[in-house]
Amino acid sequence: MEKYPIVAGNWKMHKTTTEGISFVQETVNMLLDIEKVTIIFGPPFTALFDLDVKSPFYLGAQNCHWESHGAFTGEISTDMLVDCGVDYVIVGHSERRHVFHETDDWINRKVHAVLNAGMTPILCIGEKLEDRESNETQSVLNSQLMQGLKGIDSLENIVLAYEPVWAIGTGKTASVAQVDETHNTIREELKKVYSEKESNTVPILYGGSVNPGNATELISVEGVDGFLIGGASLTSAPFTEIARKVEQHMKEKS
Ligand code: PEP
């Protein structure tokens, strides 16, 4: 099956179910004729059950637990997400890593749990500003990547997202050169473990202050297969504009 570029919205802790339903209706209506782009809505858990979307629109959850059930107050299992019609789960988002102190081991367990439940993990990796300033970017990314994917034999059902922490919600975007270099190095690192083909084709999204003004130049970077979007995914106008820019890029490429 052909893999289309992905435009995924991470709503974080925004929108009630009622607000989510009307936002999704409005957005889908604005993108009814979108072609060759996969659109993922990532609402809070509460809205997932009442949202019903069809291809090319999908539901993504922002997190999950790795155990199937049990005494884990406040957590949610992959079966519960499947029951809500979820296809993608964001795993290892920088806010989960740095605000909630998730470890690479937990993140790896979540990647396994999501795959075992038949969903697709969107595994996020990203360096902090201090890592970049001390030339540690690549080692931080390699470590997050390889620990997150530990025990995973194939990249077939994996999506990766490169999200520099300093670019998330800050209005600062990584430059085209930085994104180009980083996506390339991620693929080179993957080739140490996975086949050339899988390493070259696993979707790697870019995330970090993507907006309609920078979407075209970022999607034009070889090796960028779409976006994970926070702020600009909360209102239909910028979110759909970004999706259209990705669609336009696909049309020009083919
Ligand atoms: C994110 O939350 O994953 C993100 C990239 O946020 P923003 O687009 O607001 O930087």
Side-chain angles (χ1 to χ4, degrees), residues 79-93:
D79 281 354
M80 295 167 190
L81 296 179
V82 169
D83 194 40
C84 292
V86 169
D87 283 297
Y88 294 86
V89 185
I90 299 170
V91 177
H93 188 275

Side-chain angles (χ1 to χ4, degrees), residues 148-160:
L149 292 174
K150 204 162 144 196
I152 302 294
D153 297 331
S154 161
L155 299 174
E156 187 56 39
N157 294 315
I158 302 275
V159 173
L160 299 171

Side-chain angles (χ1 to χ4, degrees), residues 65-113:
H65 197 273
W66 59 86
E67 293 289 352
S68 61
H69 59 276
F72 301 104
T73 302
E75 293 292 329
I76 194 151
S77 78
T78 53
D79 281 354
M80 295 167 190
L81 296 179
V82 169
D83 194 40
C84 292
V86 169
D87 283 297
Y88 294 86
V89 185
I90 299 170
V91 177
H93 188 275
S94 77
E95 285 144 25
R96 300 300 320 170
R97 289 179 188 268
H98 304 302
V99 182
F100 297 99
H101 306 294
E102 289 198 5
T103 65
D104 283 306
D105 174 53
W106 291 10
I107 290 163
N108 177 246
R109 289 175 197 228
K110 291 177 189 208
V111 169
H112 281 271

Side-chain angles (χ1 to χ4, degrees), residues 10 12 93 95 163 167-171 207-210 228-232:
N10 171 15
K12 312 192 186 195
H93 188 275
E95 285 144 25
E163 298 207 301
I168 297 182
T170 58
S209 298
V210 174
L228 182 54
I229 307 163

Side-chain angles (χ1 to χ4, degrees), residues 26-246:
E26 181 182 44
T27 305
V28 168
N29 281 335
M30 289 167 79
L31 293 174
L32 279 180
D33 60 341
I34 190 118
E35 282 180 350
K36 300 193 175 189
V37 183
T38 293
I39 310 282
I40 302 172
F41 297 107
F45 296 139
T46 45
L48 283 171
F49 194 79
D50 285 316
L51 287 173
D52 188 17
V53 291
K54 289 183 182 50
S55 172
F57 303 95
Y58 296 88
L59 292 180
Q62 299 174 21
N63 187 21
C64 68
H65 197 273
W66 59 86
E67 293 289 352
S68 61
H69 59 276
F72 301 104
T73 302
E75 293 292 329
I76 194 151
S77 78
T78 53
D79 281 354
M80 295 167 190
L81 296 179
V82 169
D83 194 40
C84 292
V86 169
D87 283 297
Y88 294 86
V89 185
I90 299 170
V91 177
H93 188 275
S94 77
E95 285 144 25
R96 300 300 320 170
R97 289 179 188 268
H98 304 302
V99 182
F100 297 99
H101 306 294
E102 289 198 5
T103 65
D104 283 306
D105 174 53
W106 291 10
I107 290 163
N108 177 246
R109 289 175 197 228
K110 291 177 189 208
V111 169
H112 281 271
V114 170
L115 285 170
N116 289 339
M119 297 181 289
T120 301
I122 302 177
L123 171 61
C124 301
I125 60 172
E127 82 285 3
K128 293 199 255 181
L129 187 59
E130 65 234 47
D131 303 324
R132 186 159 277 277
E133 286 175 345
S134 55
N135 283 329
E136 296 292 332
T137 300
Q138 224 43 64
S139 65
V140 167
L141 295 180
N142 291 350
S143 162
Q144 290 178 352
L145 187 66
M146 286 314 162
Q147 291 193 63
L149 292 174
K150 204 162 144 196
I152 302 294
D153 297 331
S154 161
L155 299 174
E156 187 56 39
N157 294 315
I158 302 275
V159 173
L160 299 171
Y162 167 54
E163 298 207 301
V165 179
W166 48 272
I168 297 182
T170 58
K172 287 186 198 143
T173 318
S175 69
V176 162
Q178 285 169 330
V179 176
D180 185 32
E181 186 191 3
T182 312
H183 280 229
N184 263 322
T185 347
I186 292 170
R187 293 196 195 278
E188 288 311 310
E189 187 66 15
L190 290 171
K191 283 177 197 168
K192 294 180 184 163
V193 177
Y194 300 98
S195 71
E196 176 105 5
K197 183 167 177 246
E198 284 198 347
S199 306
N200 283 335
T201 54
V202 61
I204 309 181
L205 315 183
Y206 168 76
S209 298
V210 174
N211 61 51
N214 58 28
T216 299
E217 66 171 14
L218 288 166
I219 197 63
S220 305
V221 177
E222 188 70 33
V224 171
D225 302 300
F227 300 127
L228 182 54
I229 307 163
S233 77
L234 293 174
T235 35
S236 298
F239 189 60
T240 56
E241 219 182 308
I242 294 168
R244 290 295 184 192
K245 300 227 150 142
V246 172

